[in-house]
Amino acid sequence: MSQLAKIQAEYEQFPQEVASIMISTANEKGIPNASYTPFVMDEFKNIYIYVSGLSTHTVNIQSHPYVSVLFIEDEAKTPNIFARRRLNFDCTATLIERETDQWNQIVDQFQARFGEIIEVLRGLADFRIFQLTPTQGRFVIGFGAAYNISGDNLNQIVYLNKDNIPNS
């Protein structure tokens, strides 16, 4: 297996190594907010979050549907705190309507992954599910080891060098 193939496999596995993601949102004035939430992910790299309508990040998503997410290696598992493995995606959020087939399927995935607490959340009317659809991202596995991910093919990483640094 080539080095790139090993890194590709690591990229595909990495989101399943964490149970929650950091999310960054902005309000209507552009003021940022950082938070976190548990998630589930589908085979197309869509990320689903199940969040309270009372939280700042949910209010922000409803008024400004652009979200940055960060999957990050546990500090206790990293050999170098300055080079933690991490994966970030720029996403667009879409509300999944309650009690639809899609909503029920996603809640079932949350329950399978997170257990009994989901039964409680299911009964709370303010909780919402958003689909976060990635448009681009970056996977960093250490110093000088960063890989771009584009919306054209979220399943393929491309080594980052001075010739392919995105403008955003």
Side-chain angles (χ1 to χ4, degrees):
M1 180 181 282
S2 73
Q3 184 65 16
L4 186 59
K6 287 179 187 175
I7 295 166
Q8 179 73 38
E10 185 176 345
Y11 160 66
E12 292 170 10
Q13 176 59 35
F14 186 66
Q16 299 312 311
E17 294 178 17
V18 297
S20 64
I21 53 175
M22 306 300 162
I23 62 172
S24 178
T25 61
N27 68 16
E28 68 280 349
K29 295 178 183 176
I31 297 171
N33 174 262
S35 190
Y36 87 98
T37 184
F39 74 97
V40 295
M41 181 183 268
D42 69 21
E43 66 273 15
F44 304 108
K45 303 275 189 272
N46 292 307
I47 302 156
Y48 299 91
I49 59 174
Y50 198 15
V51 292
S52 169
L54 304 175
S55 67
T56 300
H57 52 258
T58 302
V59 172
N60 289 350
I61 291 169
Q62 290 173 319
S63 67
H64 188 77
Y66 302 104
V67 179
S68 180
V69 300
L70 176 67
F71 302 78
I72 191 159
E73 181 176 38
D74 186 326
E75 287 180 3
K77 294 180 180 177
T78 188
N80 185 324
I81 197 67
F82 287 95
R84 288 166 72 184
R85 289 183 311 149
R86 56 201 177 272
L87 169 62
N88 75 294
F89 286 118
D90 295 335
C91 302
T92 302
T94 307
L95 180 67
I96 305 297
E97 293 297 326
R98 281 186 78 88
E99 304 303 332
T100 61
D101 288 343
Q102 183 183 20
W103 187 90
N104 285 313
Q105 289 171 357
I106 294 165
V107 170
D108 289 346
Q109 290 174 26
F110 270 95
Q111 184 144 10
R113 188 163 191 204
F114 299 107
E116 293 297 318
I117 186 65
I118 301 304
E119 280 301 320
V120 174
L121 300 181
R122 205 175 213 161
L124 300 176
D126 72 295
F127 268 74
R128 295 168 173 84
I129 295 175
F130 287 97
Q131 175 180 313
L132 307 181
T133 304
T135 55
Q136 64 181 1
R138 184 167 295 168
F139 183 48
V140 179
I141 59 172
F143 292 115
Y147 299 83
N148 280 335
I149 302 138
S150 86
D152 296 339
N153 186 354
L154 294 172
N155 291 315
Q156 182 174 345
I157 59 173
V158 177
Y159 181 68
L160 178 65
N161 60 46
K162 64 179 178 61
D163 296 326
N164 66 357
I165 297 174
N167 294 330
S168 55

